Amino acid sequence: ISDLDGTLLDREGALSDYTIQVIRRMTDNNLLFTIATARSLMAANDLIWLLGLRLPSVLTNGSLIFDTVNQRYVYAGSITLESILPLVEILERNRLCCFLYTLSEHVVSVYYRAFHHPWDQDYTQQQITRFDGRVYQVSNLFEAARYKQAIYAVTCGDVEQLIAAQRELDRIRGVSTEIYCDVYNNFYYMDIFPSRSNKFQGMLTLKQYTGADEMVAFGDNFTDMQMLLAADRSYVPRNGIIAARN
């Protein structure tokens, strides 16, 4: 099981022909291989197709698991409505834009209230492209999530802002956070997700699903740490963060 950005992909965020050929050859010979990524299905779908993956994929850092054969989500974590209100208040107080992702009838949508930094607008434009326009500005995020399943949230900003907000968010029961640096633009992001939804749990789910005797993990960043530590064997590329290499 491999991370994508910073691990399986090159510096431009693409798969090399060599990588595609090797993985397709190995899976044709019954190797059990899949991905665990921070990307959504819309951002990872072309890569999944190029690799010819047959096993479910762990998406959005474990908040979703997608069955690539039957084209449906087989797992979706949930942030409770009781947690959304303090979550949004904490981000707003720290001048951070909350991008809230929801799931309804196997369709993911994105909601936000207001921009606080120029990169918020850039992030919104990226999501509009990826989610076929299902990105909505609303006045109340709690109301937007009332009749849908809130699966995770993302915000971006100065690392000091994110750390300050993280200290408060970590007090919310049932919610976990991860801060990481984007390998392409060097912006800092924080993912906010249900405590039981992460790459590590996704890996365990797939181990049980496949009946595999051994798990081998590849990753490079903070969001991969639990997965790397729990795997029977782990590998980190040279560009991986020091914490992962050690």
Side-chain angles (χ1 to χ4, degrees), residues 42-84:
M42 301 303 293
N45 210 22
D46 288 346
L47 301 171
I48 291 171
W49 179 82
L50 285 170
L51 292 169
L53 299 185
R54 299 161 192 166
L55 295 181
S57 301
V58 179
L59 304 171
T60 58
N61 282 329
S63 293
L64 295 168
I65 299 179
F66 186 74
D67 183 337
T68 54
V69 174
N70 296 303
Q71 291 291 294
R72 64 188 183 91
Y73 292 103
V74 294
Y75 170 80
S78 295
I79 299 176
T80 64
L81 285 173
E82 292 77 13
S83 298
I84 290 174

Side-chain angles (χ1 to χ4, degrees), residues 41-147:
L41 176 62
M42 301 303 293
N45 210 22
D46 288 346
L47 301 171
I48 291 171
W49 179 82
L50 285 170
L51 292 169
L53 299 185
R54 299 161 192 166
L55 295 181
S57 301
V58 179
L59 304 171
T60 58
N61 282 329
S63 293
L64 295 168
I65 299 179
F66 186 74
D67 183 337
T68 54
V69 174
N70 296 303
Q71 291 291 294
R72 64 188 183 91
Y73 292 103
V74 294
Y75 170 80
S78 295
I79 299 176
T80 64
L81 285 173
E82 292 77 13
S83 298
I84 290 174
L85 190 59
L87 185 160
V88 173
E89 288 178 348
I90 289 168
L91 293 183
E92 289 289 332
R93 188 164 59 249
N94 285 275
R95 295 191 56 75
L96 294 166
C97 179
C98 177
F99 294 95
L100 185 67
Y101 288 71
T102 67
L103 182 68
S104 178
E105 298 181 352
H106 293 276
V107 175
V108 176
S109 301
V110 187
Y111 296 89
Y112 69 97
R113 196 183 74 80
F115 296 148
H116 291 290
H117 299 286
W119 50 72
D120 291 336
Q121 191 165 0
D122 293 339
Y123 183 84
T124 301
Q125 290 303 315
Q126 292 174 14
Q127 305 315 300
I128 288 172
T129 301
R130 288 173 176 171
F131 288 91
D132 295 330
R134 295 190 307 277
V135 179
Y136 309 101
Q137 185 172 19
V138 295
S139 58
N140 190 315
L141 285 171
F142 182 85
E143 289 299 323
R146 184 183 290 274
Y147 303 108

Side-chain angles (χ1 to χ4, degrees), residues 143-156:
E143 289 299 323
R146 184 183 290 274
Y147 303 108
K148 295 188 176 184
Q149 183 178 356
I151 49 178
Y152 71 104
V154 177
T155 189
C156 51

